[in-house]
Amino acid sequence: MSDVTIVRSRLERALAAGVLSFPLTAFDDSGAIDSEAFRVHLRHQLDAEPGALFACCGTGEFFSLAEDEYATLVAVAVEEAGGQVPVIAGVGYGWPQATRFAAAAVEAGADAGLLMPPYLVETSQAGIVAHVREVTSRTSLPLIVYQRAQVTLSVSAVRELAEIESILGVKDGHGDLDQVLRLRLAAPGDWLFFNGVATAEMQAQAYASIGVPAYSSAVHAFAPEIARRFFQALHCGDDDAMEELLRRFYLPLVELRDRGTGYAVSLIKAAARMRGAPVGPVRAPLTDPTPEHLRQLEQVLAAGLEVVGAT
């Protein structure tokens, strides 16, 4: 059995076992990474028994990290996970830099990488495939391809990518269910697919209906009790529990999220601070929520915790 097959099998079990945690990157008041605070945050995440940790990805402000900071943070995540759950590290930008991030992830002991879209540029399907090939030819790290923003995979591109042994599957950030279904049907049967839209729980039932029940959860970064309860309800078919959480917590959260640019990250980090997580502020170019939005966030969070009987 190849290393890629082992990682794929482990991730497949992880996707079914628990919420996919996307931990926040902790910064101190000066804006430097705070490794010890990051450890505290990771331990709180792991105590909630997630299926996997996705370190230094979008929610973890990958786009604001220097390569040496990234290497430190991924190593801390691997150490804290201690083999309990797989650790997937974000990699991205153009292929030369993505390759360097991948090398750091391998050195740190990450199980796989989440290959984010190349920076800024729009390109053809042939260009996307070439980009992925450039990265995979230079690293042993198994990769999940993240389609979002300017990257939308075609069926033909997926069939070409299927020739690359180290590609594990696709994370979708667009929310076009017809397109995702086409990709899933065209891909090898052992590829992994999961829902990666912002506040993915809002569309979790719809994705599950096309054979993609796995999803990322930013909510797990600040309210693992809520995220875990929704995950359990989805997997046992408790429609009433999902409906209550969607109405009383998730819908108000996404309505608030949509009121500020960058709130898909900064609102999550603010909520984590409200609950005592020492994660610090966001880094520029992100900005913290306004005082009025923070007051509204407190109300949304209180309602969600009330639903699950937590404080």
Side-chain angles (χ1 to χ4, degrees), residues 200-282:
E201 287 90 343
M202 288 293 292
Q203 296 191 51
Q205 291 164 288
Y207 272 86
S209 73
I210 61 165
V212 183
Y215 61 91
S216 57
S217 177
V219 168
H220 195 275
F222 68 88
E225 311 97 319
I226 297 173
R228 184 69 181 177
R229 180 68 188 98
F230 187 91
F231 177 87
Q232 292 169 339
L234 177 67
H235 282 259
C236 71
D238 189 342
D239 293 338
D240 290 341
M242 284 187 286
E243 184 78 6
E244 184 177 18
L245 282 168
L246 289 169
R247 286 183 181 276
R248 295 187 58 190
F249 173 72
Y250 284 102
L251 176 58
L253 179 67
V254 298
E255 287 290 305
L256 181 57
R257 181 202 70 202
D258 290 347
R259 291 175 193 158
T261 304
Y263 274 17
V265 176
S266 59
L267 203 68
I268 300 305
K269 207 164 198 182
R273 292 194 301 271
M274 286 178 181
R275 303 205 70 203
V279 293
V282 291

Side-chain angles (χ1 to χ4, degrees), residues 52-181:
L53 288 179
F54 283 70
C56 300
C57 296
T59 305
E61 298 179 73
F62 168 81
F63 45 82
S64 296
L65 298 174
E67 290 177 29
D68 60 335
E69 294 174 323
Y70 170 92
T72 297
L73 293 164
V74 175
V76 169
V78 170
E79 182 179 341
E80 289 300 323
Q84 300 174 58
V85 297
V87 175
I88 298 87
V91 299
Y93 301 112
W95 65 258
Q97 194 169 0
T99 301
R100 294 196 299 274
F101 279 111
V106 170
E107 179 68 22
D111 295 280
L114 178 63
L115 181 60
M116 289 178 273
Y119 176 69
L120 194 61
V121 67
E122 294 184 9
T123 187
S124 64
Q125 292 296 308
I128 294 170
V129 172
H131 171 74
V132 176
R133 287 190 185 278
E134 292 286 1
V135 179
T136 56
S137 68
R138 290 169 171 81
T139 181
S140 61
L141 189 70
L143 296 174
I144 299 163
V145 178
Y146 191 2
Q147 68 158 14
R148 62 167 293 168
Q150 76 274 27
V151 171
T152 302
L153 296 168
S154 67
V155 165
S156 60
V158 161
R159 286 174 175 153
E160 287 191 64
L161 293 176
E163 299 170 3
I164 305 173
E165 182 185 5
S166 59
I167 297 298
L168 299 170
V170 172
K171 176 184 179 184
D172 174 60
H174 289 302
D176 183 339
L177 296 182
D178 176 76
Q179 188 255 356
V180 174
L181 178 58

Side-chain angles (χ1 to χ4, degrees), residues 5 8 12 167-169 187-193:
T5 301
R8 190 191 308 278
E12 186 173 16
I167 297 298
L168 299 170
D190 60 356
W191 266 32
L192 308 174
F193 281 81

